[in-house]
Amino acid sequence: VGDENDSARKCKNVNIIDLVPARFDIDKNFETHIIAPTKIVANEQKGTILKWTMDVLDGKEERVFAYKIIAKHPILGALTLPAAIAKFTAFEGKERTTFSNKTSIGTKRTI
């Protein structure tokens, strides 16, 4: 997951939320150079919600959030993961929400 402030102005109260489907476990051994989530909430039906919180994201600043997922069972075919959500307060004081692209993992069978 990545977050970049395209504006030259600061964003405040930045919250990044990512949902990992229930068929995956999260590897909670985050490397020292990786920003670990501020909160991890597991739900047996929906999956695991990862949340990162930042007070401020400076203009043109970019942060990369990484984590490893482990499939509980083998994946046959391709699987699309849901988009991550970024909620923040823009420079003019308005609350905004943006979404990442969806990510596909796995393999497609070709004949």
Side-chain angles (χ1 to χ4, degrees):
V1 178
D3 190 29
E4 179 180 358
N5 182 358
D6 292 333
S7 170
R9 299 180 181 176
K10 291 181 181 182
C11 293
K12 298 178 184 177
N13 306 320
V14 180
N15 292 291
I16 310 298
I17 303 163
D18 204 5
L19 174 66
V20 177
R23 63 180 72 188
F24 295 96
D25 286 324
I26 304 292
D27 181 352
K28 295 180 182 161
N29 296 319
F30 296 97
E31 297 177 27
T32 56
H33 65 280
I34 300 294
I35 302 170
T38 18
K39 191 179 232 184
I40 300 175
V41 179
N43 179 302
E44 288 186 30
Q45 286 78 32
K46 294 183 180 182
T48 303
I49 298 171
L50 301 169
K51 182 177 180 180
W52 292 266
T53 303
M54 295 178 291
D55 293 331
V56 175
L57 187 63
D58 288 327
K60 302 297 182 185
E61 182 179 1
E62 181 178 8
R63 300 275 180 106
V64 177
F65 307 98
Y67 56 91
K68 295 177 186 175
I69 57 175
I70 303 157
K72 293 179 181 178
H73 306 285
I75 299 173
L76 300 174
L79 175 71
T80 301
L81 299 175
I85 302 168
K87 295 182 179 186
F88 60 95
T89 303
F91 63 91
E92 74 277 5
K94 291 185 180 179
E95 290 189 18
R96 307 257 184 190
T97 302
T98 62
F99 300 88
S100 72
N101 294 326
K102 293 181 179 181
T103 303
S104 293
I105 60 173
T107 57
K108 293 183 180 178
R109 183 177 172 188
T110 57
I111 299 176

